[in-house]
Amino acid sequence: MNKIEDDKKRIAKIMEILEKEYPNVKSDLINTSPFQLLIATILSAQCTDKRVNMVTPKLFSEYPTAKELANAENEDVEEIIFSTGFYKNKAKNIISCSNYLLENHSGEVPSTMEELVKLPGVGRKTANCVLGNYFEPEGIVVDTHVIRITNLLGFVKTRNAEAIERYLMKIIDKKYWVNSTHYFIRLGRAVCIARRPKCSECKIKQYCNNYKENMKL
DNA sequence: CTCCCGATAT
DNA sequence: ATATCAGGAG
């Protein structure tokens, strides 16, 4: 009857199942500080976490904090992060981002959405990621997996990340705001794969509109 | 909306 | 060959 109330119950069940399936989830991006997670997340745009983790050990070894990265040469950074793609934009962003942190936040990463999205190369997705892992979440990370899976499940019918985030914040219990994204990412990589979803192996197929409409009957 | 862009699986 | 990967800026 009431879609929101119905969706609240359905996603609560889904969270319960995925929590059992993927216990102790956390970010797969290698990092030892908010600054490093921020940089790694900027690098992760349209790129796999595995690939980002191949370049960040060298990057963070040479430029461990905003202080070092702010004074880095553009070409040196480009060479290290080249394989992550969009390397010119990403190099420019993480260097000017480091400069901004030095000038405005003593080199530390701010802990609010309002301040984070002012950083060059940082939008709501990256900001939510840093907030959720190191501070208090102000929203829900909506990445490519969350967009695809929430549409397939039937919670939303849009590719607009902000619209999806607003709706998920209405229906997901706040205790799952951080982990729900991790669950969808794990499910998206292993089971609900973009090119070919493995619905037969899916633990939440009984709660999935796409499965009910296309796979059954 | 387009552009940025390399690595990988299919 | 083509779609996809923890997106963001103009």
Side-chain angles (χ1 to χ4, degrees), chain A residues 118-138:
Chain A
K118 290 179 183 171
L119 306 179
V122 178
R124 282 194 69 86
K125 184 258 158 184
T126 300
N128 272 326
C129 191
V130 173
L131 290 172
N133 280 279
Y134 277 103
F135 306 104
E136 280 301 307
E138 291 187 23

Side-chain angles (χ1 to χ4, degrees), chain A residues 10 14 147-157 191-200 202 204-217:
Chain A
R10 188 155 63 100
I14 290 171
I147 293 172
R148 181 180 70 260
I149 294 173
T150 52
N151 272 279
L152 288 172
L153 288 170
F155 291 116
V156 294
K157 290 180 181 172
V191 183
C192 195
I193 300 163
R195 295 184 71 139
R196 198 192 189 305
K198 300 177 180 175
C199 295
S200 61
C202 185
I204 60 171
K205 61 188 173 193
Q206 67 267 39
Y207 298 105
C208 178
N209 284 9
N210 181 62
Y211 176 75
K212 288 181 184 171
E213 289 165 17
N214 299 328
M215 299 304 171
K216 271 187 172 175
L217 286 184

Side-chain angles (χ1 to χ4, degrees), chain A residues 88-133:
Chain A
K88 286 180 183 292
N89 279 337
K90 287 176 180 175
K92 182 159 54 69
N93 281 336
I94 62 178
I95 291 174
S96 56
C97 189
S98 299
N99 274 293
Y100 184 94
L101 291 179
L102 279 185
E103 289 166 18
N104 299 283
H105 300 283
S106 310
E108 298 300 308
V109 176
S111 58
T112 64
M113 171 67 67
E114 186 184 357
E115 294 301 323
L116 280 168
V117 293
K118 290 179 183 171
L119 306 179
V122 178
R124 282 194 69 86
K125 184 258 158 184
T126 300
N128 272 326
C129 191
V130 173
L131 290 172
N133 280 279

Side-chain angles (χ1 to χ4, degrees), chain A residues 163-213:
Chain A
I164 295 172
E165 186 185 349
R166 277 196 298 275
Y167 191 65
L168 291 182
M169 288 169 73
K170 284 187 192 173
I171 63 171
I172 298 181
D173 189 304
K174 198 161 186 176
K175 72 174 181 180
Y176 285 117
W177 276 19
V178 175
N179 278 356
S180 58
T181 304
H182 291 311
Y183 296 150
F184 286 139
I185 290 173
R186 299 297 181 92
L187 187 74
R189 286 179 188 157
V191 183
C192 195
I193 300 163
R195 295 184 71 139
R196 198 192 189 305
K198 300 177 180 175
C199 295
S200 61
E201 309 177 11
C202 185
K203 304 286 185 183
I204 60 171
K205 61 188 173 193
Q206 67 267 39
Y207 298 105
C208 178
N209 284 9
N210 181 62
Y211 176 75
K212 288 181 184 171
E213 289 165 17

